[in-house]
Amino acid sequence: MVFDNVESFNAINKYLPPSKGQAIFTSRYRAESLKAPGQIRRIELDTLSPENSLELFDDVRKMHAGSRPATDEAKDVKNLLEGLEGLPLAIEQMAAYIGHRHYTVNQFLSKYHKLAKKIHSRNDAGHDSRTLGSLWEMNFEYLRKEHEHAALLLGLLSILGPDNIPVELFTSEDCEVEERYASFVGDEAEVDDAVEILMQVALVKSTGDRISLHRLVQHAFCLSDQGLGDDKAQAMQSAFSTAAVLLHQRFPRCGGTATFWGRWEQCSVYCPHVLSLAKRFETQAARKNKLRADKGTIKLFIDCAWYLYEIACEDKSSYEYGLLCNHETCAYHDLFRLRECKRAGEECERVLRACQGRNDLDLGNAYNNLGICYLSEGLVDEGIEKLENSKEIRMSAGASGLLYVSACHINLGIAQLRKGDPESAAEHMAKAEEIIISQGDSGKFLLHFTHLERGNFAYDEQKYQEAKSSYEASLDVCAEMAPTGPRMAACHHKLGLVELRLGQLERAASHFDKALSIAEFRDMKGEMARSLWQKANAMERHHPEDVETQKQCQNLRTRAGLLRMQVFEQSGLALREYGSEDAAFNDLVANSFR
C-alpha cells in the first residue's frame, strides 16, 4: 500500500494496517515521518548531484527541442544548474521551457532574471519556490499571450484534483459555459492541442486519457498575476463555475428513489475533482471574495455526498447508517418531499432503537425530526407523540440536552397552534425562549423559530404591526446565520403577508420576490408556488384596473398552480378541500415554515 504526499499522519491513521503489513509513505514534511508508527525505515531524498542534474537537463531539453544546441553552452548551463541546486522539478521545467522555444541558455537567463528580480523581492517565498516561481511566471505569461486555450485549460486543471483528470471532462458537448471557454470546451481537437501545449512546457503530464499536474503548479497558477490575470476574483469565479458545469455534466444524478448502485465506478472517477471544487469553495468562503455556487453546483455537491454516503454504509443496520438517515430526513423535510422524509425518518428510528444505549440523544433527535415530518403531513397527534418522546430523552441528558429540549418546546408549540390551542402554544414558546436565552450565543439560531411563531400568534390575532416586528427579528437572525436558507425565504414570505394586510403592496411584492429568489435557488417548489400566488395578489391589488398587470397576475397564478401539482406529486399528499386558496398554497411548505 502506498500513501503519496502525506500532509498529516493523523489523517491516515485509520487506514493503516492494524498489526501486520507493509506500506510506503512519501511526504514533503520531515516532521511527519517522525510520527509514523511501527518499525520505520526512513529514506530522506537529497537533491540531485551536479552530474545527475546535467544529465536530466540535457535529456529533457533534447526531448522538447529534438536535438542538442549547436553552440557550446557548458558554462551557461553550469551557471543555471548551480542556481537550481539540484531541484528535479525546477530542472525539468526549465529544460522543457528552453527546449520548447529553442532558446539558448543565455537567452533564457536574460529573460529569467528580469522576472526573477520581481519574484525574489517577495519575502514570503523560500528559495525553492522563488526559483520555480520565476519560471512559472514566464510560462504563465507565455500561455496567456500565445495560447489562450491552454491558459484557460490550466485554470480549470488548477482547481480540480491534481491526479487522473479525465480528458473527456473537457470534451462534453452542449455544455452551457462562458463564451471564452466555449471556444474550446467540447471540441476534442482544441482540447488535445491545449493539453499538448501544457505538456510541451512541462506543466502537466498526460497518460492516455488522463491528465496530472503538480500541486505546486496548481497553487502557483491560482496566485500568479500572469495566471488568472488582473481580476483574480472574477477569473476564479469563472473557472470555478465552468469546472462545476463540466463535472455536473459527467457526474451521475440521483433523486427520488434513484441511487448510484451500478454507477459507483463512474462516480469514483469524478468524485476527487468534485471534492477539490468543494474544498476550494469552502476555503474561499472565509475570504473577502467568496465564490458563488448556482443550483447546478449545489446539486453536484449533493450528488457527490450521496455517492460517498452509499459506499460508506453497506451495513444498513449500523449506527452510522441510522445517523445518515437522520440527515436525509432533515434534507427532505426542508424540500417538503414528505414521502421520502417519512421513509428516512422511520428507517432512522428503527435503526437507532436497535442500537439504543450508544447515544440516546441521537434517538431523541430522530424522534424530533420524525415528529415534525408528521406535523407537516397533517398527522398532528402522531407528531406530538414523537415530540414528547424526544423531549423526555433530551431532558434526561441534563445540561447537554437543554438546547434540544428548547427545540422540542418550539415544535410542540407549533403543533398546539395548529390544533387551535394558542395558550398551550405560547407556554411552550416561553419555555423554549427561557432555555435559549440561558445558553447565550450557542442557541441564537433557535430564536428564529420563536420569533417566527410569535409573529404567527400576532398575525392570527390581526396584530399586524406586532407580527411585523417579530418577523423582522426572525429575519435578522436568519440574515446573520443562514442568509440563503429556507428559513430566510419563510421570513420574507411572512413579511410579505403582513405588508399585504397593512396595504403596503410594493413592499409586499418585494418580500415575495426575495422569498421566490431563495426558493428558486434551493429548488423549493412549495415556497416558489405560495410566493408566486401571493405576489399576484399584491400586484392585482396595487393595479386593479391595469390590463397588462392582470395578465401578469394570471401568468403568476398559472405557474403557481403547476408547481402546486408538482409538490403534491413529490410529497405524496392527498388533495383535500381548503377554506381558501391562500390556505391551500400555504400548506405547500414544511410545517416549520408556515
Side-chain angles (χ1 to χ4, degrees):
M1 185 177 294
V2 178
F3 296 86
D4 188 31
N5 197 41
V6 174
E7 300 279 343
S8 167
F9 266 95
N10 293 334
I12 64 169
N13 267 333
K14 62 181 179 181
Y15 302 110
L16 300 180
S19 54
K20 297 181 179 180
Q22 295 181 337
I24 296 174
F25 308 93
T26 69
S27 178
R28 289 176 289 145
Y29 307 106
R30 187 177 186 278
E32 287 302 317
S33 71
L34 303 176
K35 301 177 184 177
Q39 294 181 343
I40 296 294
R41 181 188 175 197
R42 295 179 180 84
I43 301 175
E44 192 161 344
L45 298 181
D46 203 352
T47 54
L48 297 179
S49 67
E51 294 77 14
N52 289 336
S53 295
L54 178 60
E55 182 181 358
L56 175 62
F57 179 84
D58 284 344
D59 288 345
V60 174
R61 182 181 185 183
K62 182 180 178 181
M63 180 175 64
H64 285 273
S67 63
R68 295 186 184 277
T71 58
D72 183 11
E73 299 183 303
K75 186 176 180 180
D76 290 335
V77 171
K78 181 182 177 182
N79 290 336
L80 172 64
L81 294 179
E82 283 178 353
L84 300 181
E85 297 184 352
L87 294 172
L89 184 60
I91 294 169
E92 178 190 23
Q93 295 206 340
M94 287 198 180
Y97 187 97
I98 293 168
H100 174 63
R101 292 162 184 77
H102 299 281
Y103 281 176
T104 66
V105 174
N106 190 51
Q107 286 173 326
F108 168 77
L109 285 172
S110 176
K111 185 175 179 67
Y112 171 77
H113 286 311
K114 288 178 183 177
L115 193 57
K117 184 177 180 181
K118 175 183 176 183
I119 294 174
H120 288 196
S121 68
R122 298 174 184 168
N123 295 326
D124 61 343
H127 177 81
D128 296 356
S129 61
R130 293 201 305 266
T131 302
L132 286 170
S134 302
L135 175 63
W136 284 331
E137 285 289 296
M138 295 166 66
N139 272 323
F140 300 155
E141 180 184 26
Y142 164 71
L143 291 175
R144 197 164 70 144
K145 290 181 177 179
E146 304 293 336
H147 299 284
E148 183 187 10
H149 290 171
L152 289 171
L153 177 60
L154 185 57
L156 297 176
L157 296 173
S158 294
I159 58 175
L160 299 173
D163 303 311
N164 297 313
I165 304 169
V167 175
E168 69 174 9
L169 179 64
F170 309 104
T171 60
S172 301
E173 297 180 356
D174 301 323
C175 277
E176 294 185 7
V177 296
E178 292 183 20
E179 184 176 351
R180 60 179 183 159
Y181 288 100
S183 61
F184 76 96
V185 165
D187 187 326
E188 190 171 343
E190 290 286 349
V191 172
D192 287 344
D193 287 347
V195 173
E196 181 65 27
I197 294 295
L198 295 177
M199 290 174 61
Q200 287 173 2
V201 293
L203 289 173
V204 307
K205 298 183 185 296
S206 179
T207 306
D209 59 352
R210 294 288 189 272
I211 305 169
S212 297
L213 68 166
H214 202 284
R215 289 168 178 81
L216 291 177
V217 174
Q218 291 182 307
H219 186 63
F221 189 83
C222 290
L223 294 178
S224 168
D225 293 335
Q226 298 297 333
L228 290 174
D230 297 331
D231 190 347
K232 287 193 182 77
Q234 181 55 43
M236 176 58 73
Q237 179 65 59
S238 179
F240 175 83
S241 298
T242 300
V245 168
L246 296 175
L247 285 167
H248 191 42
Q249 181 87 349
R250 289 288 183 178
F251 204 93
R253 313 285 173 86
C254 73
T257 58
T259 72
F260 288 128
W261 179 256
R263 297 179 290 171
W264 285 2
E265 184 176 356
Q266 185 180 355
C267 291
S268 69
V269 170
Y270 292 102
C271 182
H273 307 299
V274 179
L275 293 177
S276 179
L277 214 61
K279 183 65 176 177
R280 172 72 59 176
F281 183 80
E282 179 186 7
T283 302
Q284 291 286 125
R287 299 176 183 172
K288 181 179 179 181
N289 297 311
K290 296 181 180 180
L291 291 170
R292 301 182 304 278
D294 61 13
K295 287 196 296 184
T297 305
I298 292 173
K299 181 64 167 65
L300 171 66
F301 290 164
I302 291 171
D303 286 340
C304 185
W306 190 267
Y307 157 67
L308 294 171
Y309 150 64
E310 283 192 9
I311 63 172
C313 281
E314 295 182 4
D315 182 1
K316 304 304 182 187
S317 63
S318 69
Y319 190 79
E320 289 72 20
Y321 175 69
L323 296 182
L324 287 168
C325 287
N326 201 27
H327 292 304
E328 189 183 3
T329 305
C330 296
Y332 281 132
H333 170 266
D334 285 359
L335 291 170
F336 200 60
R337 290 165 59 169
L338 297 183
R339 183 191 293 113
E340 290 141 308
C341 178
K342 184 176 179 180
R343 172 194 56 75
E346 291 177 346
E347 177 74 353
C348 172
E349 180 188 5
R350 179 191 67 78
V351 173
L352 294 187
R353 284 184 66 180
C355 301
Q356 196 167 2
R358 179 164 174 181
N359 187 335
D360 288 341
L361 267 180
D362 287 326
L363 180 59
N365 294 342
Y367 282 136
N368 179 78
N369 295 333
L370 187 55
I372 61 177
C373 175
Y374 286 159
L375 292 183
S376 295
E377 198 174 359
L379 305 173
V380 179
D381 291 334
E382 292 87 341
I384 289 175
E385 180 183 354
K386 295 296 180 186
L387 292 170
E388 290 289 357
N389 290 341
S390 176
K391 182 160 70 78
E392 181 180 350
I393 290 174
R394 289 169 165 181
M395 289 180 69
S396 66
S400 62
L402 269 180
L403 279 178
Y404 294 110
V405 172
S406 70
C408 285
H409 280 300
I410 290 169
N411 290 319
L412 285 166
I414 293 171
Q416 294 298 338
L417 191 62
R418 303 298 181 261
K419 287 192 74 171
D421 187 351
E423 290 185 7
S424 295
E427 289 176 8
H428 280 295
M429 288 300 165
K431 291 177 182 177
E433 286 176 334
E434 182 182 351
I435 294 172
I436 294 168
I437 292 170
S438 73
Q439 298 300 298
D441 288 342
S442 61
K444 185 175 181 180
F445 186 63
L446 289 171
L447 287 174
H448 149 74
F449 293 99
T450 60
H451 290 318
L452 192 70
E453 289 309 313
R454 290 206 176 280
N456 288 340
F457 297 161
Y459 185 88
D460 289 345
E461 295 175 358
Q462 300 182 16
K463 299 176 181 177
Y464 299 125
Q465 286 293 352
E466 184 180 330
K468 181 178 177 180
S469 296
S470 293
Y471 291 148
E472 286 176 339
S474 183
L475 185 76
D476 289 342
V477 176
C478 288
E480 180 182 347
M481 310 291 285
T484 60
R487 290 157 185 81
M488 188 74 168
C491 289
H492 278 301
H493 184 85
K494 291 292 186 179
L495 282 167
L497 291 178
V498 167
E499 298 291 10
L500 199 58
R501 292 291 187 180
L502 294 173
Q504 300 296 325
L505 304 178
E506 288 187 6
R507 291 182 187 174
S510 175
H511 279 298
F512 293 134
D513 271 334
K514 290 174 182 176
L516 184 59
S517 295
I518 295 172
E520 287 176 340
F521 178 69
R522 303 188 72 89
D523 197 28
M524 298 167 59
K525 292 182 172 60
E527 188 65 72
M528 291 162 60
R530 72 171 183 171
S531 293
L532 285 168
W533 180 264
Q534 293 295 353
K535 182 183 176 182
N537 289 343
M539 290 174 59
E540 188 174 59
R541 284 181 55 186
H542 193 44
H543 301 286
E545 305 298 331
D546 186 77
V547 175
E548 186 59 35
T549 298
Q550 297 305 310
K551 289 181 180 178
Q552 292 177 19
C553 292
Q554 185 57 46
N555 288 336
L556 292 176
R557 290 190 175 111
T558 299
R559 286 176 59 194
L562 292 172
L563 285 166
R564 179 184 177 187
M565 296 307 297
Q566 291 180 39
V567 172
F568 271 101
E569 184 178 345
Q570 282 187 348
S571 66
L573 289 174
L575 290 169
R576 64 186 182 88
E577 293 293 328
Y578 286 90
S580 68
E581 286 295 282
D582 287 358
F585 278 97
N586 196 50
D587 263 10
L588 299 179
V589 297
N591 203 65
S592 305
F593 309 145
R594 292 175 190 168

